[in-house]
Amino acid sequence: MLTSARSNFARLSLMTVALLSACGDKAIDEKPESEPAVPVAVAVVQRGAIEAAYKGTATIEADAQATVVAKISGIIESIRAEEGQAVKAGEQLAQIEQERLQLEAARARASYQQLKAEFGRNERILQQNLVSREQYDRSRFELQAAKAALDLAELTLRESTIRAPIDGVISGRHVKVGNTVQVNAPLFDITHLESLEAQLHVPEREIHKLQAGQPALIRVDAWPKDQFQGRVKRINPVVDPASGTVKVTVGLDNPAGKLLPGMFGRLQVLYDRHENALLIPKDAVVIEDASASVFVISEGKAERRTVELGYDNDQNYEVLNGLEEAEKVVTTGRASLKDGAPAEIVSDNS
């Protein structure tokens, strides 16, 4: 019995040692799991040109606009122009009744012709001393007065025809056929659409950057894919004491007629340009507490790096310090990154 018990104990001890040995080997073979790589999209730091611009908003206005008013009173006989119609300077827009004015002009013409003939006769007989100098002078003055009355009657007749004072488009019609109008009553609005302008109110601390002749760009919501050209026309030499700003007027080109007065635009005045700048997409930059940084991918690792930024436009930042050309910066996926984390490039936008 004792021998059998000892034999069983020995076998149990061997099994225990074997089990512990196996567990020890398993523990030695197991290794800690590695941190998974974060998928990211990157862009390559490149060199290119970038422009500095003063940015602001403004309402587009017409460079030339006119309100056509009645110069005489009368009844509107006909309308020759409607809103939206393009007109040239001198083109007829409307007609005030003329019959009475034509009769008055005819009477003034007849009186003038009569006095002209009478003065001619007095001028001939004055040489023969058959008429006094006083009578001759009176006939001359009467002739001059009759000529002025004729000119006035013909001017009034001409002014009964309402004409456009400038080239443009009819932007407003204020009368209808049959309306009686008085002197200076507004009849039409005409807006010149080929040349527009916008006014920026620039803080005085920024005005040193701007000068007449600088190029400008404007975008409007009505044409989101288009960018319209312009140029600084003039800068007001006086600072508005109430707002501390200076009025800057920008002339806008409108050859296709897409821009309209009253449109709200986002305006940029370009005042400087760097030709060989280091550029990175705006999506790559993290700005926290006035400090800018990017994640650079190198050998499968993400490195957070502080950068100094310069000019910027709609797409890019200029980098003054902190990056080298051809380095790869993360544009998508940076929210999941930390300094030194593994990263896998799944999209390269270089």
Side-chain angles (χ1 to χ4, degrees), residues 22-88:
C23 290
D25 291 342
K26 184 177 179 182
I28 293 172
D29 291 340
E30 287 183 351
K31 295 180 180 178
E33 294 183 2
S34 60
E35 184 180 355
V38 177
V40 295
V42 299
V44 174
V45 181
Q46 297 179 343
R47 289 198 176 273
I50 191 167
E51 293 174 314
Y54 177 80
K55 300 176 183 179
T57 58
T59 300
I60 297 174
E61 302 173 358
D63 183 21
Q65 189 170 7
T67 297
V68 183
V69 301
K71 294 183 179 180
I72 64 170
S73 59
I75 298 173
I76 298 295
E77 195 174 68
S78 64
I79 300 288
R80 305 291 179 86
E82 294 294 340
E83 291 181 357
Q85 179 179 332
V87 295
K88 295 290 186 181

Side-chain angles (χ1 to χ4, degrees), residues 116-345:
K116 183 178 180 181
E118 185 175 317
F119 175 73
R121 184 169 57 254
N122 287 338
E123 193 172 33
R124 288 192 301 273
I125 64 179
L126 178 66
Q127 306 299 326
Q128 302 171 9
N129 293 323
L130 298 177
V131 64
S132 66
R133 186 71 188 187
E134 180 182 357
Q135 186 176 353
Y136 169 80
D137 288 341
R138 185 169 56 251
S139 66
R140 179 163 58 86
F141 295 146
E142 288 175 350
L143 177 62
Q144 291 173 346
K147 181 63 168 63
L150 174 59
D151 291 344
L152 184 59
E154 290 180 340
L155 175 63
T156 303
L157 181 60
R158 290 195 301 272
E159 288 178 341
S160 67
T161 300
I162 310 302
R163 299 186 182 276
I166 61 172
D167 294 350
V169 174
I170 301 296
S171 54
R173 176 170 67 85
H174 307 293
V175 292
K176 298 179 181 178
V177 173
N179 288 166
T180 299
V181 297
Q182 303 299 324
V183 176
N184 293 328
L187 306 178
F188 297 90
D189 294 324
I190 300 178
T191 303
H192 187 70
L193 298 181
E194 293 182 6
S195 180
L196 303 175
E197 62 184 30
Q199 293 180 353
L200 284 172
H201 295 275
V202 180
E204 58 179 303
R205 65 178 179 276
E206 301 282 349
I207 199 62
H208 68 278
K209 300 175 181 177
L210 307 183
Q211 60 184 2
Q214 288 174 329
L217 304 171
I218 191 169
R219 293 181 181 273
V220 295
D221 291 338
W223 305 100
K225 295 182 179 180
D226 292 342
Q227 187 169 256
F228 300 91
Q229 305 289 327
R231 196 163 292 276
V232 176
K233 292 176 63 175
R234 55 186 178 273
I235 298 176
N236 194 306
V238 177
V239 177
D240 181 356
S243 63
T245 62
V246 176
K247 184 173 71 174
V248 176
T249 302
V250 177
L252 302 172
D253 299 329
N254 192 29
K258 290 183 176 181
L259 296 178
L260 299 175
M263 283 183 171
F264 182 79
R266 291 169 293 281
L267 196 62
Q268 300 182 52
V269 178
L270 309 177
Y271 62 84
D272 196 10
R273 180 181 175 93
H274 289 170
E275 293 291 347
N276 195 34
L278 281 178
L279 304 179
I280 58 173
K282 283 192 166 182
D283 291 341
V285 180
V286 180
I287 297 179
E288 294 177 346
D289 299 328
S291 176
S293 63
V294 298
F295 282 101
V296 179
I297 302 300
S298 178
E299 298 181 353
K301 298 285 186 179
E303 176 193 350
R304 184 160 187 166
R305 197 179 299 175
T306 300
V307 293
E308 181 183 355
L309 302 179
Y311 294 155
D312 70 286
N313 57 25
D314 293 339
Q315 293 83 33
N316 298 319
Y317 276 116
E318 176 190 21
V319 178
L320 301 178
N321 286 301
L323 288 175
E324 299 292 336
E325 186 177 359
E327 287 188 303
K328 294 185 176 182
V329 293
V330 176
T331 57
T332 303
R334 52 187 169 80
S336 303
L337 288 175
K338 60 183 179 180
D339 194 20
E344 179 186 0
I345 298 174

